[in-house]
Amino acid sequence: MTMARATTTTVALCFLLSCVFSALTVDRPTLAASAPPPTASSTSSIIIDDIIRVLADTTTAARIRTDAEATAQSSTDFGTNVTVDAARPAAVFYPSCAADIAALLRASSASASPFPVSARGRGHSTQGQATAPGGVVIDMASLAGPHSATASRLAVSVDWRYIDAGGEQLWVDVLQAALAHGLTPRSWTDYLRLTVGGTLSNAGISGQAFRHGPQISNVLELDVVTGTGEVVTCSKHKDADLFHAVLGGLGQFGIITRARIPLAPAPARARWVRLLYTGAADLTADQERLIDDGRRGGALAGLMDYVEGSVLTDFQSLIGSWRSQPPSSFYSAADAAGIAALAKEAGGVLYCLEGALYYGGASDTTAADVDKGVEVLVRELRYARGFAFVQDVSYVQFLDRVSAGERKLRGEGLWDVPHPWLNLFLPRSHILDFAAGVFHGVLLHTGGAASSGGPVLVYPMNRGKWDGATSAVLPDDEDEVFYTVGILRSAVADGDLRRMEEQNAEVARFCEAAGIPCTQYLPYYATQAEWAARHFGPRRWDTFLRRKRKYDPMAILSRGQRIFSYPLA
């Protein structure tokens, strides 16, 4: 589709929608005095049905579907914890450009009863956050499809070292486009089959965040369609309030249709390191030395480019973990026997420090530099001696390591199962209390997390690398270092889902009883009161609510998050 055709189609769509809403809000006959007023949901359904009927007679009909297949697909997500019928939208919308999205949002905003609209990337939420029950789900992938109004949704500027990426683009494709010019983004998620707009609406974290900050701290500019249907290009220097609101904003203020991401010279290789520990104190102390800015870390400070960690309540989870699969196994049969013995000696819980050192390619680091770095790590870190494992892989293989695990699980029919994930941010001052109560308590004594299929991550980040003006929420604590804990499980057997959800609730109760101030990452709460009190707190809630009133006053966007409803309170 050419730009001229897309513009004409969008203008036609706007005209058709305005005609529908004029008829609905002005020319609809007055109800008899004895008739009860329509509810908000029934009115929204009538409005959407009218829009669909008008569009069906135009050339835009291919861009909206109401059939059971399309609406069912947009009613579920990676978590598969939502009932399809309860989450089913009235329609799925397939835009060719940002102007199409703007037209849809203006139509909803102008109606007497605005219908909900949610943007869907790859459906990787876990609690139905991207659903729009009774409303319209926007299929963002269609922005790069055959009817797209733009020829390319990935454009690299070598001179200025940035990439413009459509909000629907996958990070793995962003990586490949940048590498073609010897460049790379600096901050990543561990799983690259996520969309740019999706991760930027949350935060986007992984083992690089200690150095470069989350992905929301690595954005130069955004194109956003607000809840009122306004298309805005924003940055720290232009419409900064919207820019910061959208980053980490859980889809509440606008839909990201383009992001400008800074790039750096790309390495070619990664020295991938795994070290086993028998206690949380040694693991976290070493992690903090590795992420230090040089004042306390000594020879270890900044030595690794990537620092994460995991908790193992079943040594088999380390050997056969789906999440981080190298081209060949880290461990021999003899290693496996040794790890089993170490786990038994440690009382059933082991810890793994996982990291990487990048080199070669366009970077300044050489293989010799990395050899020396690994020597320092093996000498200085406090891991269980004899349990250091190293592999050398390509930079792409390391960043995209989770995809191998995905293929394995898909092949075994274990990918599309419920995922009752729990992600938390914790202050450093409480991480050992949490480890004692949860890793050695709740998870170990109720069957173990790893044995039920799923990694348990624990790693530190530096607060100073996060932009406090964004909508992301961190622990309300003065610690410069805070931890992320990800309990990322798959419910495979009968009873797993209920048991895991009960464990998650028990973790929350433990933190409250122990006075551990934790904040959910990828949060989910059932009511606005819970969001305000338990997630944001008074000060941040006031800012979040002010921004909502400004950019989405009809509460059209992302009602699946259960933060706001119409009318906006």
Side-chain angles (χ1 to χ4, degrees):
M1 177 183 287
T2 65
M3 182 60 75
R5 180 183 172 189
T7 302
T8 301
T9 301
T10 301
V11 171
L13 176 60
C14 292
F15 173 75
L16 289 166
L17 293 175
S18 66
C19 290
V20 170
F21 284 104
S22 295
L24 287 168
T25 59
V26 178
D27 298 329
R28 188 179 295 277
T30 303
L31 294 172
S34 60
T39 64
S41 59
S42 64
T43 304
S44 292
S45 179
I46 293 170
I47 291 170
I48 295 170
D49 288 345
D50 284 343
I51 293 174
I52 294 166
R53 188 182 66 252
V54 174
L55 291 178
D57 296 327
T58 73
T59 57
T60 64
R63 295 214 319 273
I64 193 162
R65 288 175 61 182
T66 61
D67 58 279
E69 180 183 3
T71 56
Q73 186 177 7
S74 296
S75 303
T76 187
D77 57 20
F78 182 67
T80 71
N81 297 326
V82 180
T83 303
V84 170
D85 288 341
R88 190 184 295 273
V92 181
F93 189 64
Y94 300 87
S96 66
C97 58
D100 288 348
I101 297 173
L104 181 69
L105 292 172
R106 285 196 298 272
S108 180
S109 184
S111 73
S113 182
F115 54 85
V117 175
S118 289
R120 178 185 173 90
R122 292 305 173 102
H124 206 75
S125 59
T126 58
Q127 293 284 354
Q129 291 94 330
T131 61
V136 177
V137 168
I138 300 175
D139 186 274
M140 295 296 289
S142 67
L143 288 172
H147 300 291
S148 175
T150 54
S152 174
R153 299 281 293 169
L154 287 169
V156 175
S157 172
V158 176
D159 291 339
W160 294 99
R161 286 191 178 179
Y162 67 73
I163 183 169
D164 281 331
E168 79 291 345
Q169 294 294 312
L170 300 183
W171 282 103
V172 67
D173 297 322
V174 173
L175 172 63
Q176 295 295 346
L179 286 177
H181 302 275
L183 299 170
T184 179
R186 299 176 299 180
S187 187
W188 296 99
T189 60
D190 283 328
Y191 180 56
L192 300 188
R193 267 72 177 172
L194 302 174
T195 63
V196 170
T199 65
L200 295 183
S201 295
N202 288 280
I205 59 173
S206 76
Q208 290 93 347
F210 79 90
R211 174 171 294 166
H212 301 295
Q215 290 182 314
I216 58 173
S217 292
N218 291 269
V219 183
L220 301 175
E221 185 178 273
L222 296 171
D223 283 346
V224 174
V225 184
T226 70
T228 59
E230 183 180 5
V231 181
V232 181
T233 298
C234 55
S235 68
K236 288 184 178 181
H237 310 291
K238 179 180 181 293
D239 291 303
D241 185 64
L242 176 61
F243 179 76
H244 290 124
V246 169
L247 293 172
L250 306 175
Q252 294 300 306
F253 312 110
I255 296 173
I256 298 171
T257 58
R258 179 187 65 90
R260 179 165 290 178
I261 309 297
L263 302 175
R269 307 290 300 176
R271 195 68 56 84
W272 190 353
V273 179
R274 287 180 177 174
L275 308 166
L276 298 189
Y277 290 72
T278 57
D282 284 342
L283 171 78
T284 55
D286 278 354
Q287 286 178 322
E288 290 175 24
R289 293 164 72 195
L290 288 165
I291 73 164
D292 192 76
D293 59 8
R295 292 173 294 180
R296 298 181 306 275
L300 293 170
L303 194 58
M304 282 186 169
D305 297 294
Y306 171 101
V307 177
E308 283 196 8
S310 56
V311 186
L312 312 165
T313 56
D314 178 353
F315 79 94
Q316 290 290 347
S317 68
L318 176 66
I319 298 170
S321 173
W322 60 265
R323 180 180 165 274
S324 298
Q325 293 287 332
S328 59
S329 176
F330 263 93
Y331 317 104
S332 66
D335 293 332
I339 294 170
L342 183 67
K344 183 176 181 180
E345 179 184 333
V349 178
L350 291 179
Y351 295 85
C352 177
L353 191 157
E354 185 165 27
L357 296 80
Y358 303 148
Y359 69 97
S363 73
D364 296 328
T365 305
T366 66
D369 296 330
V370 168
D371 290 340
K372 293 177 182 178
V374 171
E375 290 178 5
V376 173
L377 293 173
V378 172
R379 182 179 69 246
E380 297 289 333
L381 293 175
R382 290 172 260 186
Y383 64 97
R385 288 298 183 260
F387 292 91
F389 307 94
V390 182
Q391 281 208 357
D392 197 87
V393 297
S394 74
Y395 179 63
V396 173
Q397 284 175 324
F398 179 75
L399 290 183
D400 198 28
R401 62 200 177 280
V402 178
S403 65
E406 177 186 355
R407 289 192 296 272
K408 176 182 175 182
L409 289 188
R410 285 190 184 278
E412 297 175 0
L414 297 176
W415 184 256
D416 296 318
V417 298
H419 296 92
W421 287 8
L422 178 64
N423 293 273
L424 299 172
F425 290 152
L426 305 166
R428 171 175 57 181
S429 56
H430 290 279
I431 188 61
L432 295 183
D433 296 332
F434 185 90
V438 176
F439 302 151
H440 294 262
V442 175
L443 300 185
L444 184 63
H445 297 153
T446 53
S451 61
S452 297
V456 178
L457 307 182
V458 54
Y459 60 93
M461 291 180 283
N462 290 312
R463 184 184 296 266
K465 299 297 183 178
W466 291 64
D467 188 340
T470 69
S471 293
V473 178
L474 302 183
D476 190 12
D477 193 276
E478 296 301 319
D479 285 347
E480 169 59 24
V481 171
F482 67 96
Y483 277 78
T484 183
V485 171
I487 304 175
L488 312 179
R489 297 175 291 180
S490 301
V492 176
D494 290 342
D496 276 357
L497 179 59
R498 180 177 178 180
R499 177 176 57 82
M500 292 174 181
E501 289 178 336
E502 289 174 349
Q503 284 182 344
N504 291 345
E506 189 175 351
V507 170
R509 289 193 296 271
F510 167 79
C511 289
E512 185 173 356
I516 299 176
C518 59
T519 299
Q520 282 191 31
Y521 175 59
L522 307 178
Y524 174 80
Y525 296 96
T527 68
Q528 185 181 94
E530 287 183 296
W531 278 101
R534 297 177 59 185
H535 185 70
F536 291 102
R539 181 180 60 84
R540 294 198 68 93
W541 174 251
D542 288 346
T543 300
F544 203 80
L545 180 57
R546 173 187 63 78
R547 286 170 165 172
K548 185 68 171 180
R549 287 173 172 156
K550 182 176 182 180
Y551 300 115
D552 185 25
M554 301 297 178
I556 293 167
L557 295 170
S558 296
R559 291 188 198 169
Q561 294 277 5
R562 298 191 179 187
I563 306 175
F564 298 104
S565 59
Y566 178 81
L568 189 61

